[in-house]
Amino acid sequence: MTAHQQTEHQQPHHESVHHIGSLFTYALIFGALLIGTGLTVWAAFQNIEVGGISLNAPIALIIATVKATLVVLYFMHVKDSSRLTKITVISGVFWLGILLTLTMTDFLTRAWH
Amino acid sequence: MSTAVTDVVVTETHVMPEEHYLNADHSLKSWLLTQDHKRIAILYMLTITFFFFVGGIMASLVRLELLTPAGDLLESDTYNKAFTMHGVMMIFFFLIPSVPATLGNFLIPMMIGAKDLAFPKINLLSWYIFVVGACFGLAAMITGGVDTGWTFYAPLSTTYSNTNVILTAVGILIAGFASIFTGLNFIVTIHKMRAPGQTWFRLPLFVWAHYAASIIMVLGTPVIAITLILVALERGFHIGIFDPRLGGDPILFQHMFWFYSHPAVYIMILPGMGVISEVVTTFSHKRIFGYKAIAFSSVAIAVFGFLVWAHHMFIAGISMYAALIFSLISFLVAIPSAIKVFNWSATLYKGSVRWNTPMLYAFGFIGLFTIGGLTGLFLAALGLDVHLTETYFIVAHFHYVMVGGMVLAYLCGIHHWWPKMTGRLYPELPAKLSALLVFVGFNLTFMPQFILGYLGMPRRYHSYPPEWQVLNVLSTAGASILAIGFLLPMLYLVWSLKYGQVAGPNPWESTGLEWETSSPPPSHNFHETPVVTSEPYNYGEKEGEV
Ligand SMILES: [Cu+2]
């Protein structure tokens, strides 16, 4: 907690950093998450195909990503946090991107016999 | 520049400070519930020393088996377990926490002029988590061991091995969180707790190196955690992720494993490089050459280290396009390491070099790390790698980096800051002798392995053709010298706790905030918060710049 106190001490003008969203916003986001869950369940039972390639997994992943983004932004207060916190979150996502992209350089160009 | 070999000799008589962090409270409870980063560093040091010797015993078994061509001392299954447990113990329970959790923990708050780390309770928690994880690892070893190699390649680990894979994986998973907590604590501390005037470019390079290593700990460790959970899921519940028979892809395991485990090499080596930067400048009594280049090369290593992992997989069946990309980037990552080596060498130039034990270890580090790094380039080359990978060349290469580099840096740092941690000097003569033994023993152990590997001796077998016996005997002989070199410090360092000469606050005439307070430091490091007014290595224009 020492760092926390020191932050406040050094930056007295950033009281809004600790601002917590209204109950209404929380309810709204919670509703959106429920809709997302419903959508995931519904999409799982559809046979979504384009040109013979099943799109079920990508669609489920997109819905999950949107939901996770909402949780991080609102419930974890990243939306109202300092720029340093935002950079930290973005670098985490960026690193995940490195893992996926460079792994794909192998999977997408491999000679599949 | 004087040609005589000189030492720093402490002639003044000092007295121990009346109250310091070690004698503030003697009860066991005061140690087990301490939130003092210095005491937690000591707890970590005792723990990892224990695991270093457990890993060392396993290494001895391997070297003894390889004394003769026949697989006579250990059955092949037992041999598989011996080298696996050696790797697991040394990497996850010694090397990963080695410098950061001990010296980093002890020194970072002092170097930036703070009273403690940002989250002292999380720091203590990280030690407890580490101990719990390590106990799982020990339990796995005692109840039968693992035989997959420290790399846990699937589908061997997920389907075929009948040993304690899950128990070991759980241990590593738990210990991983200790590493994440340490990294998180360092990042926040370095951002938020710097003393007035301690700007980023006035931070010691040790702190920069730890900042870079912390980035890797925080961003990389979750991936190994998830990978090990997936191994456990496939092993326990037959969920097809890695095993082709279940619809999985074994190469996926290697991608995920090495995404962490290559950068993990930099978790181990970067803090060691931080130690060397401090020691080289102190014992040259001269401003470090290329401060910003060294600082930024640490960050560059942390970032580029994440882009090279598939160089471990060139023969595993990855696409040749991917292999080309990873080979190219692997060559590039050598540049920031080379920058450091050149800058350390340039620091020595026209410095007043003093040959105390830490400096001997630093010289050893620079030479051996360079050999380790350059042979890494052999292995990054696509064609040559096909011949050399999975041979003793690989084993020699990473031991040059991990032992010749990291363990030497650890010993270097322990000797350098021993007076700060304990208030007493280690005895110089036995310390120099053991530094020499380590250097000679190390080279005798691992230089023959480069040749063996080039001749084609594969790793991880308990028998080999008789024509390779001479080189293997040399290697085992070297290992026994190395063992003495590692045991000696245990003896004289413990001896020095009681009988060592009282060091005084700054025996090496070093700059740096940690040397401005008494040795051992008071519980809150400084009696009043220091104010920083100049660069970290301000050795002035006196003897250093002749
Ligand atoms: Cu690597």
Side-chain angles (χ1 to χ4, degrees):
Chain A
M1 282 295 103
T2 324
H4 189 247
Q5 285 160 0
Q6 191 150 339
T7 319
E8 282 185 335
H9 191 69
Q10 286 171 345
Q11 304 173 324
H13 307 298
H14 284 69
E15 293 291 311
S16 62
V17 166
H18 305 285
H19 166 80
I20 292 167
S22 67
L23 210 60
F24 177 70
T25 322
Y26 284 146
L28 208 65
I29 300 300
F30 182 62
L33 291 176
L34 283 182
I35 294 171
T37 309
L39 213 58
T40 312
V41 175
W42 175 80
F45 287 101
Q46 309 303 311
N47 208 353
I48 310 165
E49 253 186 28
V50 173
I53 299 168
S54 167
L55 291 182
N56 282 62
I59 285 170
L61 284 170
I62 289 168
I63 299 172
T65 310
V66 171
K67 284 167 68 186
T69 312
L70 289 176
V71 170
V72 170
L73 287 180
Y74 290 93
F75 288 153
M76 295 171 80
H77 309 300
V78 170
K79 189 173 159 288
D80 299 315
S81 294
S82 67
R83 284 217 300 247
L84 187 61
T85 309
K86 284 180 180 146
I87 289 174
T88 312
V89 173
I90 291 169
S91 52
V93 176
F94 180 72
W95 249 255
L96 181 65
I98 295 176
L99 173 64
L100 297 178
T101 321
L102 281 181
T103 303
M104 283 305 156
T105 63
D106 168 29
F107 279 81
L108 299 178
T109 60
R110 209 188 283 171
W112 296 94
H113 306 296
Chain B
M1 187 181 164
S2 150
T3 46
V5 173
T6 51
D7 276 357
V8 179
V9 183
V10 180
T11 43
E12 282 173 79
T13 41
H14 294 279
V15 281
M16 292 282 269
E18 246 166 55
E19 205 175 292
H20 49 78
Y21 79 102
L22 290 170
N23 70 3
D25 189 338
H26 289 286
S27 67
L28 184 66
K29 193 180 147 213
S30 76
W31 277 91
L32 292 179
L33 295 178
T34 183
Q35 290 172 34
D36 183 339
H37 64 104
K38 300 182 288 301
R39 284 187 163 209
I40 297 171
I42 303 288
L43 291 175
Y44 254 118
M45 191 194 287
L46 296 172
T47 318
I48 68 168
T49 305
F50 172 75
F51 284 96
F52 179 73
F53 282 99
V54 174
I57 290 167
M58 294 297 149
S60 316
L61 286 176
V62 168
R63 275 325 315 166
L64 283 174
E65 165 57 65
L66 295 175
L67 200 53
T68 57
D72 40 14
L73 181 67
L74 304 175
E75 301 257 330
S76 51
D77 284 345
T78 320
Y79 182 78
N80 289 349
K81 288 176 182 173
F83 70 69
T84 300
M85 298 316 299
H86 165 65
V88 167
M89 292 293 158
M90 286 299 196
I91 288 175
F92 297 109
F93 302 123
F94 173 72
L95 284 167
I96 293 276
S98 59
V99 171
T102 58
L103 294 169
N105 231 336
F106 195 99
L107 292 164
I108 286 176
M110 304 186 71
M111 284 181 165
I112 66 173
K115 285 183 176 147
D116 207 312
L117 286 170
F119 307 114
K121 284 179 186 161
I122 291 186
N123 196 21
L124 180 64
L125 180 65
S126 105
W127 178 69
Y128 275 103
I129 290 179
F130 178 75
V131 170
V132 171
C135 285
F136 272 87
L138 264 188
M141 189 180 83
I142 293 166
T143 58
V146 214
D147 66 352
T148 59
W150 74 276
T151 48
F152 299 101
Y153 271 18
L156 172 62
S157 61
T158 60
T159 308
Y160 299 105
S161 171
N162 290 318
T163 53
N164 291 328
V165 175
I166 292 185
L167 201 55
T168 316
V170 168
I172 293 169
L173 177 89
I174 296 173
F177 282 92
S179 176
I180 293 173
F181 283 165
T182 302
L184 187 74
N185 223 336
F186 286 174
I187 291 176
V188 176
T189 304
I190 295 167
H191 272 278
K192 294 290 183 190
M193 309 278 287
R194 283 172 282 127
Q198 182 66 299
T199 58
W200 281 88
F201 290 118
R202 287 178 183 168
L203 288 176
L205 290 165
F206 182 87
V207 178
W208 273 95
H210 274 79
Y211 186 80
S214 302
I215 295 176
I216 308 176
M217 293 183 209
V218 171
L219 291 172
T221 317
V223 178
I224 188 81
I226 290 166
T227 312
L228 291 172
I229 290 171
L230 291 177
V231 166
L233 286 178
E234 183 165 297
R235 201 177 157 82
F237 303 100
H238 306 287
I239 297 170
I241 295 162
F242 303 127
D243 187 345
R245 288 191 318 171
L246 302 169
D249 186 319
I251 311 276
L252 179 63
F253 173 84
Q254 297 185 26
H255 276 299
M256 294 178 74
F257 179 83
W258 289 113
F259 180 83
Y260 166 76
S261 295
H262 180 81
V265 172
Y266 299 118
I267 297 181
M268 303 179 229
I269 199 77
L270 274 168
M273 291 168 154
V275 169
I276 302 303
S277 295
E278 300 300 320
V279 169
V280 164
T281 178
T282 296
F283 288 97
S284 302
H285 210 73
K286 179 168 165 262
R287 190 166 174 262
I288 196 135
F289 187 90
Y291 171 90
K292 282 192 182 174
I294 297 182
F296 285 127
S297 66
S298 289
V299 181
I301 287 175
V303 174
F304 287 107
F306 272 103
L307 309 177
V308 299
W309 75 81
H311 61 213
H312 297 267
M313 305 161 56
F314 288 157
I315 59 154
I318 59 168
S319 89
M320 68 169 167
Y321 304 104
L324 278 171
I325 293 168
F326 279 104
S327 172
L328 181 73
I329 310 175
S330 298
F331 277 107
L332 293 181
V333 86
I335 296 172
S337 304
I339 287 175
K340 285 179 192 286
V341 170
F342 287 130
N343 280 303
W344 294 324
S345 313
T347 305
L348 297 172
Y349 180 64
K350 289 196 174 174
S352 39
V353 176
R354 291 150 326 155
W355 296 72
N356 292 70
T357 310
M359 193 58 156
L360 294 187
Y361 277 117
F363 283 140
F365 175 98
I366 295 173
L368 301 179
F369 171 75
T370 303
I371 296 176
L374 289 177
T375 49
L377 293 180
F378 292 33
L379 295 163
L382 280 178
L384 203 48
D385 182 72
V386 174
H387 175 62
L388 295 176
T389 198
E390 304 295 350
T391 71
Y392 261 86
F393 194 91
I394 288 264
V395 177
H397 155 70
F398 69 69
H399 281 88
Y400 264 80
V401 178
M402 296 286 87
V403 183
M406 191 52 206
V407 176
L408 258 65
Y410 178 69
L411 288 170
C412 174
I414 293 290
H415 283 85
H416 184 60
W417 283 290
W418 189 254
K420 184 50 64 184
M421 292 155 95
T422 66
R424 289 181 186 270
L425 290 164
Y426 59 85
E428 197 68 59
L429 194 67
K432 280 184 173 174
L433 179 73
S434 72
L436 192 72
L437 284 177
V438 167
F439 185 78
V440 172
F442 174 81
N443 280 297
L444 190 56
T445 310
F446 292 105
M447 194 59 89
Q449 295 186 7
F450 275 128
I451 305 168
L452 283 167
Y454 191 78
L455 294 174
M457 178 169 164
R459 62 193 291 205
R460 297 181 169 175
Y461 286 88
H462 71 149
S463 59
Y464 55 85
E467 60 263 35
W468 290 332
Q469 188 171 14
V470 174
L471 288 165
N472 272 296
V473 168
L474 284 177
S475 182
T476 300
S480 52
I481 298 176
L482 193 56
I484 298 170
F486 288 146
L487 283 169
L488 266 180
M490 295 286 295
L491 299 177
Y492 64 72
L493 288 179
V494 171
W495 175 89
S496 78
L497 289 177
K498 195 160 164 58
Y499 303 105
Q501 190 187 348
V502 177
N506 189 3
W508 314 130
E509 295 149 0
S510 180
T511 62
L513 292 180
E514 80 271 27
W515 299 106
E516 281 176 20
T517 187
S518 51
S519 314
S523 288
H524 289 291
N525 297 346
F526 302 99
H527 291 295
E528 46 200 279
T529 307
V531 177
V532 182
T533 52
S534 74
E535 55 169 309
Y537 307 109
N538 195 0
Y539 284 99
E541 299 289 318
K542 23 182 190 179
E543 327 95 291
E545 306 280 341
V546 182

